Amino acid sequence: MRARTKPLNGHRHKRWLSVSLGFLLLAQVGCEAEASDSNPERVVQEFMDRMQRVHGDAHAARLAYELLWADARRNLAERSKRASAVAGREIAPEEMIAPSHFSVTYRPKKLTSRVDGDWAEVTVRGEASATQSNVVKCVREDGRWRVVLELPPLPPIQRRPDAGI
């Protein structure tokens, strides 16, 4: 014998559907965000994907910036502070990333990693693996993998000596 169920009225049904969809969406977003930096290969793949979408898109630039290790974010923050002072307008740290420096000359086909504690090297290979190969360093910070972008240190700011005027 089948149990009888009472049909939901329109208002209750819409509310239940909204809440259910909301939970599903939150769960999906949470899983995707967690998965993108859960291992070195995924964070490198996600970084490459995000960098491909940066060109003039501030939101995409911010998403790529968030996958960088802390040293690179600090360096870019200082660069943006100096650039803002010169430009006379606010320049965000993520705007200091030049997407052209990350253009891939081949289509990545395979990513493999070698992990040593909190450090990893991800080898990105194309179809011609002998000539199409790059190594990307990663580090685990606060339980999440980040791309190591090594930037040259900034020189100290030069101050003009007082001219005595």
Side-chain angles (χ1 to χ4, degrees):
M1 180 183 233
R2 240 170 62 182
R4 264 180 85 176
T5 58
K6 191 175 180 182
L8 294 173
N9 67 28
H11 180 67
R12 278 182 145 173
H13 181 69
K14 286 179 186 175
R15 185 172 32 178
W16 178 83
L17 187 59
S18 294
V19 170
S20 297
L21 288 175
F23 280 122
L24 283 173
L25 186 61
L26 283 173
Q28 181 181 2
V29 168
C31 290
E32 287 176 6
E34 185 177 30
S36 70
D37 58 11
S38 61
N39 69 53
E41 294 97 344
R42 289 189 65 96
V43 77
V44 169
Q45 181 64 58
E46 186 66 24
F47 183 74
M48 289 187 304
D49 292 346
R50 290 179 184 188
M51 286 305 297
Q52 298 241 331
R53 295 187 297 260
V54 165
H55 303 281
D57 183 342
H59 179 69
R62 185 68 188 177
L63 292 174
Y65 172 82
E66 290 172 354
L67 293 178
L68 294 174
W69 73 323
D71 286 359
R73 291 192 313 269
R74 276 191 293 275
N75 186 298
L76 291 169
E78 179 60 28
R79 288 173 188 277
S80 75
K81 185 173 128 184
R82 292 180 184 192
S84 295
V86 171
R89 67 171 183 89
E90 180 80 22
I91 297 175
E94 59 268 20
E95 291 180 74
M96 302 306 296
I97 302 171
S100 59
H101 287 288
F102 298 95
S103 61
V104 181
T105 57
Y106 59 89
R107 185 180 191 139
K109 292 289 185 187
K110 184 178 180 184
L111 282 77
T112 56
S113 66
R114 186 175 58 82
V115 178
D116 184 12
D118 286 336
W119 291 90
E121 288 184 344
V122 177
T123 302
V124 182
R125 289 189 169 85
E127 286 180 4
S129 60
T131 58
Q132 297 176 331
S133 177
N134 287 302
V135 175
V136 179
K137 292 179 185 177
C138 296
V139 65
R140 190 177 2 229
E141 295 177 331
D142 299 324
R144 295 181 175 162
W145 287 100
R146 295 291 178 245
V147 174
V148 174
L149 175 62
E150 295 183 27
L151 298 168
L154 288 164
I157 296 174
Q158 299 284 325
R159 304 232 187 258
R160 291 184 188 191
D162 189 12
I165 299 176

